[in-house]
Amino acid sequence: MAAAPVWSVDPRTGNPREQVAVEATAEEVDRAVRAAHAVRASLADRAVRAAFLRTAAELLTEAGEHIIEAADAETALGPARLTGELARTASQLKAFAEVIDEGAFLDIHIDHEDATRTPPWPDLRRYKIPLGVVAVYAASNFPLAFSVPGGDTASALAAGCPVVVKAHPDHPATSELCASVLRRAAARVGLPEDVLVLVHGFEAGIELIKHPLVAAAGFTGSVRGGRALFDAAGARPTPIPFHGELGSLNPVVVTEAAADERGEQIGTGLAGSMTMGSGQFCTKPGFVLAPAGESGDRLLKSLTDAVSDTEAGVLLDHRMRDAFVAGVRERAELPDVEAPVTPGAGGEHTVSAGFLTVPAHLLTADGPHDALLEECFGPVTVVARYASADEITAVLSRLPGNLTATLQTATDSADADAPTLLAALTPLAGRVLVNGWPTGVAVAPAQHHGGPYPATTSTSTSVGATAIERWLRPVTYQTTPEALLPPELHDDNPLNLPRRVDGRRA
C-alpha cells in the first residue's frame, strides 16, 4: 500500500496547497528513533549544545520571512502574530543556551564521607543526566513556539536529549522548513543532523510513543488525544514520563468591588483576551464568575460592545471550526443560557466571537449545564452571574485543573473577598493572576506553564528554564574514585558549576 500523502491546507479556503511529505510507516518511525538514539552521545558536550541552540535561533531568524510566509499560509494566524511568535521561539532557544552555560540544572550535590553521623555517611555525589530520545508532539495553535523548534524541543536538546518530532498536520510545510533549519544548525556546530528528526502521520505518533528507545514524551493538544498517548506511555512494558498539556478552562473571578470600581475596563480586557488569536490560545479565559446586579451589568455591556466589534476569524482548520460551531450551539441551547453576542459560524470558512451567560447557581451541582465547565476551543467564553460568595466557592469547587486562574479585585481600596478567593483559586491552576489577563506566557525563569489534570499530566512546566527538568533524571555515585567520576562531580570543580557541598551552597 502506498504511503498516505501529507498535504499543506489553506484554512482560509479549506483547499490543499501542496503535498509536503508522506506519512511515516512503522519501519520509518523505527529508523527515525534509532537514528536519534545513535547520536545521543554527541550531545554530551554542554558548550556544543549551547552553541547549537544559539545557532538554531540565529538561523531561524535569518529564515524568518520564509517561515512566517509558510506558517501564515497554513494557519491563518497572520504575519504580525507569527513575527512575534518567531521572536519568542528564537529567544526561547537562546534562553536554554544560557541555562546550559550556568549549569544549575545539573542539580549537583556532593556529600563527603562523615563517620561521625548516625548512621555514618559514605561519600555521595549526585547530579542529573539526560533520559535519552524524547518524542515531541507538536501543537496546532503555535506552529513555532510549541512545535518543531518550540519549548519542548529546545528544553530536551538543552538537557542533552535527541528529539523526534511528530509534526502537526495543520502545518506540515512549516514543520519541514523549521526541521531543516534546526538540522542545518546542528551540522554547523559539528553535531549530527539526527539530533532532530521529523516524522508525519497519526499512526506515526502512535508508533513513536510505543518505541522502546523513546525515553520520554512532550505533548500539547486535546484532552482526548493527549490522554490516549498518556495511557499508551504508561501501558508500555517500560513506562515512560509523558508531559502533556491537554486542556484548560482558565477561570476568572471578578469580585463585586472590582466590578463596581472598573467593570467597563474589565469587560474590555476580557474581550481582548478571549478573542486573541480567534480564541485559540491555551490560556484563553473560557469561564468567568461575575456579579449579578448593576456592576455586573456594566461589565457585560462593555464586554458586549467590545466583542461585537470583533471581526470574524479563521480557525486553524475546518475540523476545529466545525467543533466550535457545534460546541457553542449545544451550550447556547441549554435552559436559562443567554447569548448577548451569539458565537458561531461567521461564514463558510470563519467563526464569529461571542459569549454566553448563565446564573451561577445552575453550576453548583451536577446537571445539564456541566458542558459550560468544559473548554470550548475558539472565541467564546461563559459568564456565570453569581448572587453570593457561597455560589462562587461552590462553582470553583467543581472546576477541573487549569493552566491559569485569574482574580479581578479592587485596586483603589481594600477588597475583603480577595484573600479568600485567591486561596480558593490557587489549588486550581499552575499560574494565578491578579488584575491581569492570562493570554501571553512570558518565557522567564519563574514561569510555570502547567497545572492540575487535565491542564497537564505532570507537575512540570513546559515554559521557562525549569522545563529542562522534564528530560533529566538524578544519579548518585557512592564511594567512587575521582578518576572514575564525571568532571562535574570532581572536588576541585573544574567546570565551575553551581553546587551544594556537604549541604551548603558552594
Side-chain angles (χ1 to χ4, degrees), residues 109-457:
H109 292 256
I110 296 176
D111 294 322
H112 291 102
E113 181 180 3
D114 187 347
T116 68
R117 293 183 178 268
T118 304
W121 282 9
D123 187 274
L124 298 167
R125 297 163 189 251
R126 177 187 187 271
Y127 79 148
K128 291 183 176 179
I129 62 173
L131 290 175
V133 177
V134 170
V136 169
Y137 293 80
S140 63
N141 56 341
F142 282 85
L144 305 175
F146 282 84
S147 292
V148 174
D152 284 353
T153 296
S155 58
L157 291 169
C161 297
V163 173
V164 179
V165 181
K166 206 291 283 185
H168 197 280
D170 279 355
H171 43 79
T174 308
S175 298
E176 286 285 344
L177 181 54
C178 289
S180 69
V181 170
L182 264 62
R183 288 169 66 86
R184 184 155 48 92
R188 182 169 293 190
V189 300
L191 288 171
E193 291 185 349
D194 286 341
V195 295
L196 186 287
V197 186
L198 182 69
V199 296
H200 296 267
F202 178 82
E203 292 298 328
I206 296 173
E207 292 296 329
L208 191 56
I209 199 68
K210 297 191 302 184
H211 199 287
L213 295 181
V214 168
F219 170 91
T220 302
S222 69
V223 173
R224 181 180 178 184
R227 184 55 195 254
L229 291 171
F230 176 58
D231 291 345
R236 292 166 40 125
T238 302
I240 59 171
F242 182 88
H243 302 285
E245 179 190 324
L246 310 188
S248 186
L249 198 58
N250 304 305
V252 178
V253 175
V254 182
T255 67
E256 190 159 5
D260 283 339
E261 177 189 277
R262 51 194 174 87
E264 293 85 354
Q265 178 185 341
I266 292 171
T268 302
L270 173 59
S273 187
M274 53 85 59
T275 61
M276 183 180 293
S278 294
Q280 297 175 110
F281 279 51
C282 50
T283 52
K284 179 202 75 176
F287 182 78
V288 182
L289 281 157
E294 183 180 346
S295 63
D297 290 343
R298 291 199 307 273
L299 187 159
L300 254 64
K301 174 64 165 59
S302 174
L303 177 62
T304 298
D305 292 344
V307 172
S308 297
D309 288 339
T310 303
E311 295 182 1
V314 177
L315 297 190
L316 294 161
D317 63 38
H318 280 59
R319 176 183 56 82
M320 292 181 188
R321 177 189 175 278
D322 293 345
F324 173 77
V325 171
V328 295
R329 181 188 303 118
E330 173 193 349
R331 290 163 172 79
E333 291 174 351
L334 292 169
D336 299 306
V337 171
E338 297 181 359
V341 182
T342 303
E348 184 180 358
H349 306 292
T350 61
V351 297
S352 57
F355 69 97
L356 308 175
T357 64
V358 64
H361 71 85
L362 295 176
L363 303 173
T364 57
D366 292 347
H369 294 83
D370 286 356
L372 300 174
L373 303 180
E374 299 174 0
E375 180 184 16
C376 185
F377 191 76
V380 65
T381 196
V382 173
V383 181
R385 306 291 299 274
Y386 65 83
S388 68
D390 287 344
E391 286 186 2
I392 299 176
T393 54
V395 174
L396 291 180
S397 71
R398 301 193 61 237
L399 295 186
N402 295 272
L403 294 170
T404 73
T406 300
L407 177 64
Q408 295 289 343
T409 184
T411 58
D412 291 344
S413 60
D415 192 331
D417 295 326
T420 300
L421 291 173
L422 192 65
L425 287 170
T426 297
L428 295 178
R431 178 162 57 107
V432 181
L433 300 90
V434 176
N435 294 341
W437 296 105
T439 37
V441 183
V443 183
Q447 185 60 268
H448 186 83
H449 189 63
Y453 185 86
T456 52
T457 59

